[in-house]
Amino acid sequence: MKLYIKYMVSNRCKALVQEELISLGLQSEYVVVDLGMVELHKDITDIQLEQLKENLSKAGLELLDGSKGKLIDKIKSLITDMIHSSEEQPKVNYSVYISEKLGYNYTYLANIFSEVKGITIQQFIIIHKIEKAKELLFYDELSLTEIAHRLHYSSVAHLSSQFKKVTGLSPTFYKHIKNKREGVLENL
């Protein structure tokens, strides 16, 4: 069972949620407590759910109903599939693509997503695009220009700029480190 919690955007919030789960006797029931989400081994009772909702509300957090939680899962899944599984990126803006695929207004989706995850949909997309770029750099089959084109960056400079913001490294330096590490491993 997954629970989604609005405004849970810091480690302090995570700790508070963990304390609430423990106070309700659910310390052995939760698998993951992450920003905006709790995953439980099994369903909890309606009484426990209501008590959790009430306790979180006192702390300024809001337990979302199941439909909004499922919507966030759909957004994350759609973005992950769009970037990691599909060879062809959408020809329209990501906001239009996501809105059309899920049948909701993009502003509505973006607001729910950022309230729960603590980052915007755009930031989530950038993180996944950079992960895909790292994967493509690792396998060394495409040039940086080809990677930028495949991930729909306007230029190599734009990709490099975002890559450095997310990883702290330039794509070229990342590739250099990977090659150096492989050389060391071959000499063992």
Side-chain angles (χ1 to χ4, degrees):
M1 172 181 204
K2 286 185 182 178
L3 302 174
Y4 289 91
I5 303 167
K6 202 172 179 180
Y7 311 121
M8 183 179 164
V9 294
S10 70
N11 286 333
R12 202 179 81 156
C13 292
K14 283 173 57 174
L16 180 111
V17 170
Q18 286 173 324
E19 288 172 20
E20 289 301 329
L21 291 169
I22 290 167
S23 76
L24 291 171
L26 299 171
Q27 62 269 19
S28 63
E29 297 303 322
Y30 71 84
V31 179
V32 176
V33 176
D34 200 4
L35 296 179
M37 190 264 303
V38 173
E39 188 171 347
L40 302 163
H41 285 292
K42 60 183 180 181
D43 290 352
I44 60 175
T45 67
D46 289 341
I47 295 169
Q48 289 172 318
L49 191 62
E50 199 55 44
Q51 187 64 50
L52 181 62
K53 188 175 189 176
E54 186 179 312
N55 293 350
L56 292 177
S57 178
K58 289 176 187 173
L61 302 174
E62 182 181 331
L63 193 61
L64 293 177
D65 65 30
S67 63
K68 288 182 182 176
K70 288 177 185 171
L71 192 54
I72 289 167
D73 272 348
K74 286 180 183 179
I75 294 168
K76 288 168 49 179
S77 179
L78 181 64
I79 291 169
T80 303
D81 288 346
M82 176 178 68
I83 293 170
H84 293 283
S85 302
S86 174
E87 288 296 315
E88 189 63 33
Q89 298 286 312
K91 302 285 187 231
V92 295
N93 287 343
Y94 291 123
S95 58
V96 172
Y97 179 79
I98 292 167
S99 182
E100 287 176 354
K101 285 287 190 183
L102 297 178
Y104 288 93
N105 176 291
Y106 183 76
T107 304
Y108 173 73
L109 295 172
N111 286 339
I112 290 175
F113 190 88
S114 61
E115 286 171 349
V116 172
K117 296 304 291 173
I119 62 171
T120 65
I121 289 176
Q122 188 61 34
Q123 290 168 320
F124 189 79
I125 290 170
I126 290 168
I127 289 166
H128 279 273
K129 285 173 74 172
I130 297 306
E131 284 303 311
K132 183 67 174 182
K134 285 167 57 177
E135 177 186 323
L136 294 170
L137 284 167
F138 183 80
Y139 290 113
D140 207 18
E141 294 173 356
L142 302 173
S143 70
L144 203 50
T145 303
E146 292 169 321
I147 293 170
H149 179 72
R150 177 176 280 185
L151 295 176
H152 285 261
Y153 280 97
S154 57
S155 66
V156 172
H158 186 213
L159 167 61
S160 296
S161 171
Q162 284 191 343
F163 194 96
K164 187 159 185 145
K165 282 180 187 174
V166 172
T167 66
L169 305 170
S170 71
T172 307
F173 192 70
Y174 176 83
K175 196 171 183 176
H176 173 73
I177 290 172
K178 178 204 74 92
N179 291 339
K180 196 172 189 177
R181 189 175 298 154
E182 285 177 352
V184 168
L185 292 175
E186 287 176 4
N187 291 330
L188 290 179

